[in-house]
Amino acid sequence: MRSRRDVLKSAVLGGGAGVVAATALGSLGPEAAFATTSGPELEPGTPDPDFVEGRIRSIKDNTLFVLGSNMVFHRIRVVDGTSLWKLGPVPFDQAKPGDGLYARGVRMPDGLLAAESVWLNIVNIKGHITNIKDQTLHLDHNGKEVLCHVVAGKSVAIRSDAPPSADLSMLKVSQHVQILGAWRPDTNEVDIATVFSPH
């Protein structure tokens, strides 16, 4: 059986990888963006060479040109089988200049990252609810207000004692929550994918 590294290298180098089911390479879910790598062990403090974070500066063909928060430029190639997430699975044309991203894949010899997964504008924030109004949760996150919008057909709540539900009415002011969602670039606003509530 071919490893995910071999499949991605083959796709980038034109070895006829064809369309690869993204789920065969790993989770499509947003929780995977924050998971640790399962690759070779890295020394503490060493950057993971197969992971990139930053903002898209431009897009050419199937390559994203990204400036990392450390001011390093990256080239990320999206290939057949790359999973893209922006409040759910999306096609490549949903990636826009200005979007923030996390990407995981395989580093090629020329420095390009062959992307396995790209998470666009993903955020994972904790705080307490200060107000609930018109399908918007006002969240205090480290002393800053974040407006978290419920998106019909997408947003769900998960409580420790219940299955996931689209009914967010159990959320209350002053309750501590964790929100996984999609940031609206250059704002203090987030579209909610999942609200985690301890009770």
Side-chain angles (χ1 to χ4, degrees):
M1 180 173 190
R2 295 171 65 188
S3 72
R4 75 176 64 199
R5 183 173 293 276
D6 292 337
V7 170
L8 286 168
K9 279 185 179 177
S10 177
V12 169
L13 299 174
V19 177
V20 177
T23 53
L25 296 175
S27 173
L28 294 175
E31 70 283 349
F34 302 104
T36 57
T37 182
S38 60
E41 284 294 315
L42 298 173
E43 292 293 322
T46 303
D48 181 345
D50 296 331
F51 180 81
V52 168
E53 62 77 31
R55 288 186 79 176
I56 298 171
R57 293 299 182 217
S58 63
I59 301 170
K60 183 175 182 190
D61 301 323
N62 63 344
T63 302
L64 305 172
F65 296 87
V66 174
L67 179 61
S69 63
N70 60 357
M71 304 307 287
V72 173
F73 277 99
H74 302 276
R75 293 174 300 128
I76 301 171
R77 176 80 42 86
V78 174
V79 298
D80 289 343
T82 300
S83 64
L84 286 98
W85 184 94
K86 195 177 200 179
L87 204 64
V90 295
F92 179 70
D93 65 1
Q94 293 299 302
K96 306 290 182 204
D99 281 348
L101 66 68
Y102 292 104
R104 188 170 297 284
V106 175
R107 189 68 64 175
M108 305 305 293
D110 67 356
L112 179 129
L113 182 77
E116 174 184 333
S117 299
V118 177
W119 298 271
L120 299 164
N121 299 325
I122 191 168
V123 294
N124 181 5
I125 58 176
K126 295 179 182 178
H128 69 273
I129 299 170
T130 59
N131 194 9
I132 301 173
K133 183 177 179 183
D134 300 327
Q135 298 296 304
T136 301
L137 305 177
H138 296 247
L139 189 72
D140 178 336
H141 171 67
N142 298 328
K144 294 189 170 40
E145 182 178 58
V146 180
L147 303 177
C148 303
H149 303 282
V150 175
V151 179
K154 298 259 186 197
S155 301
V156 297
I158 298 177
R159 294 172 48 163
S160 59
D161 60 351
S165 171
D167 178 11
L168 276 63
S169 65
M170 85 305 213
L171 298 172
K172 307 291 182 221
V173 170
S174 79
Q175 185 174 10
H176 287 271
V177 295
Q178 179 176 352
I179 294 180
L180 194 61
W183 168 57
R184 295 180 182 181
D186 301 316
T187 72
N188 68 330
E189 300 182 53
V190 170
D191 292 326
I192 298 170
T194 308
V195 178
F196 299 93
S197 167
H199 54 281

